[in-house]
């Protein structure tokens, strides 16, 4: 609700990676047992329900930007796997013995207190420092009261046009 993904897309569109894809992943929505398959892909037969090959998010985002939203929701074992890719640019597709190389920009976001999560040992400090090259704090709309009316007017205009209704004034 603060515009994190819009900011990530803007960074992508202004970067040297703009000609590549922008892939957004809600890390909080990925089940722990599906993390490797979702992020790195899998080969047919890699596990019981793997009925076909699946391309992972790292491959989809190659030469572009991978936006990891709600990064604080990744369980610790998966954080280690993510750290390896960030450090080396290498990963393995589940069910394959070949190492893949990726060249992507990573943008991550969280609404959690990362320092508290690190102290509570719920987020790896080394992963945080690998991700935290530049940090932007996007204040919530509650902290930006002056933005409410212009945003409301903007969305009224967008949806009035979309649904062919007279704008409310």
């Amino acid at each position: 609700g603060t515009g994190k993904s819009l900011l990530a897309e803007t960074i992508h569109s202004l970067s040297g990676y703009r000609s590549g894809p922008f892939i957004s992943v809600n890390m909080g929505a990925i089940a722990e047992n599906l993390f490797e398959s979702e992020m790195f892909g899998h080969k047919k037969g890699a596990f019981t329900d793997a009925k076909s090959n699946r391309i992972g998010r790292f491959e989809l985002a190659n030469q572009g930007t991978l936006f990891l939203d709600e990064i604080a929701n990744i369980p610790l074992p998966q954080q280690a796997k993510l750290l390896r890719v960030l450090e080396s640019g290498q990963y393995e597709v589940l069910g394959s013995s070949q190492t893949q190389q990726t060249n992507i920009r990573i943008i991550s976001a969280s609404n959690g207190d990362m320092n508290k999560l690190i102290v509570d040992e719920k987020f790896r400090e080394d992963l945080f420092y690998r991700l935290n090259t530049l940090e932007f704090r996007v204040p919530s709309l509650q902290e930006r009261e002056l933005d409410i009316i212009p945003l409301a007017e903007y969305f009224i205009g967008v949806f009035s046009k979309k649904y062919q209704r007279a704008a409310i004034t």
Side-chain angles (χ1 to χ4, degrees):
T2 62
K4 296 178 297 203
S5 63
L6 183 59
L7 179 59
E9 284 185 66
T10 301
I11 291 169
H12 169 74
S13 70
L14 297 173
S15 76
Y17 287 88
R18 68 182 162 271
S19 62
F22 177 83
I23 305 296
S24 181
V25 184
N26 180 348
M27 302 308 289
I30 298 177
E32 189 172 345
N33 61 332
L34 296 177
F35 178 85
E36 286 183 78
S37 176
E38 286 289 325
M39 299 306 292
F40 310 128
H42 66 253
K43 296 284 185 189
K44 180 179 179 179
F47 52 89
T48 306
D49 288 333
K51 295 181 175 37
S52 62
N53 291 344
R54 177 180 172 85
I55 296 174
R57 305 300 173 96
F58 277 93
E59 187 175 345
L60 286 171
N62 199 32
Q63 305 299 317
T65 300
L66 182 60
F67 175 50
L68 305 176
D69 197 9
E70 299 306 338
I71 189 101
N73 293 334
I74 303 175
L76 284 169
Q78 281 66 35
Q79 290 178 31
K81 294 169 186 171
L82 181 58
L83 179 63
R84 177 183 176 250
V85 180
L86 296 180
E87 289 178 336
S88 68
Q90 298 179 334
Y91 65 95
E92 284 81 33
V93 172
L94 204 56
S96 173
S97 58
Q98 290 185 319
T99 299
Q100 304 288 323
Q101 187 72 34
T102 188
N103 177 13
I104 60 175
R105 160 179 271 129
I106 298 280
I107 299 175
S108 60
S110 175
N111 61 7
D113 180 343
M114 298 305 288
N115 292 321
K116 182 174 180 353
L117 291 168
I118 291 168
V119 168
D120 294 345
E121 297 183 355
K122 294 181 179 174
F123 199 85
R124 292 177 60 117
E125 187 172 17
D126 51 356
L127 176 57
F128 176 74
Y129 286 109
R130 178 63 68 177
L131 289 167
N132 195 27
T133 307
L134 294 173
E135 185 174 339
F136 299 97
R137 183 180 176 280
V138 182
S140 69
L141 193 53
Q142 185 177 14
E143 298 174 68
R144 303 180 347 238
E145 287 183 21
L146 294 176
D147 291 346
I148 294 173
I149 291 174
L151 281 169
E153 290 170 343
Y154 169 78
F155 286 114
I156 287 170
V158 167
F159 290 109
S160 295
K161 231 181 247 183
K162 180 178 179 177
Y163 296 110
Q164 300 172 358
R165 302 279 185 186
I168 301 168
T169 56

